[in-house]
Amino acid sequence: AVVGTSFSNASLAVLPYTDERKVVYVSTGAAHTQVDPVRPYVFMTPPTGRLVAVQLLRYLRDQGLTRIGVAFDSDSVFNRVAWAQQETMLSQFGIDAVAVESFEVDTEDFTPTVTSIAQSGAQALMAWVTGPPAIGLALAYRAARLDIPMVAGLGAASPAFVDAVGPGADGIIVSNHGGRQLDGV
């Protein structure tokens, strides 16, 4: 058996090899495309992006936040697909995306992304980010001193994120599991 990487893009690259050899692959990456369609030897440990998206939309709705600015890493399969799935569910939760900003994994300056969202009238920043982009976006968000909450998918749920962002991570809402029953969503 192989226990895989938490970066979904790398997990997806391994699958043809493990499928061909009928080796069990336990992925710690969250892209649902690892198991949809079903592969008999592949298992995922984290919740799918859809489950995380629902959980975060519930949180936003329950906080009365109906206008969001979205920032997502277009190079990350998990983040790109999770945002696409979340986007299709916005109206079910009474939420509008008033700004959508994509960036690439090697982006270093997130000031334009944060500025665009700040100027959009968004009530929250929804961040679909992992690894260095999660850190860069969080630091730019804190540096801009926005008075709106930052909400992130499980890609930012790591000690490395908290260590790198430091005290600036305080108050950032990060999903770390899929939550409860989907309630028909």
Side-chain angles (χ1 to χ4, degrees):
V2 175
V3 177
T5 174
S6 61
F7 185 54
S8 294
N9 291 20
S11 296
L12 289 165
V14 169
L15 295 181
Y17 300 100
T18 56
D19 284 351
E20 179 182 317
R21 290 161 181 81
K22 298 182 181 178
V23 171
V24 172
Y25 183 68
V26 180
S27 177
T28 56
H32 79 281
T33 49
Q34 298 170 101
V35 294
D36 183 10
V38 172
R39 290 179 153 97
Y41 301 99
V42 179
F43 302 88
M44 261 177 57
T45 59
T48 64
R50 182 176 188 281
L51 291 174
V52 174
V54 168
Q55 178 190 41
L56 294 173
L57 287 172
R58 251 191 219 114
Y59 172 80
L60 292 165
R61 179 195 61 204
D62 293 350
Q63 298 300 307
L65 303 170
T66 60
R67 293 184 324 275
I68 62 171
V70 179
F72 73 96
D73 177 354
S74 61
D75 288 334
S76 165
V77 172
F78 171 74
N79 291 313
R80 185 178 63 244
V81 172
W83 161 239
Q85 291 177 320
Q86 188 178 54
E87 185 176 26
T88 68
M89 296 183 276
L90 291 175
S91 64
Q92 294 171 309
F93 290 86
I95 296 173
D96 291 315
V98 296
V100 177
E101 295 290 327
S102 67
F103 49 84
E104 296 175 352
V105 71
D106 60 352
T107 298
E108 293 182 8
D109 182 7
F110 289 90
T111 304
T113 300
V114 171
T115 300
S116 174
I117 289 170
Q119 294 172 347
S120 72
Q123 297 170 305
L125 165 56
M126 176 69 242
W128 288 104
V129 290
T130 307
I135 295 164
L137 182 63
L139 291 171
Y141 161 78
R142 284 296 184 217
R145 301 186 186 276
L146 298 184
D147 60 355
I148 63 174
M150 179 173 164
V151 179
L154 58 84
S158 75
F161 172 78
V162 174
D163 290 346
V165 178
D170 289 348
I172 294 175
I173 307 301
V174 179
S175 170
N176 65 2
H177 61 79
R180 59 187 185 248
Q181 176 69 27
L182 293 180
D183 298 330
V185 175

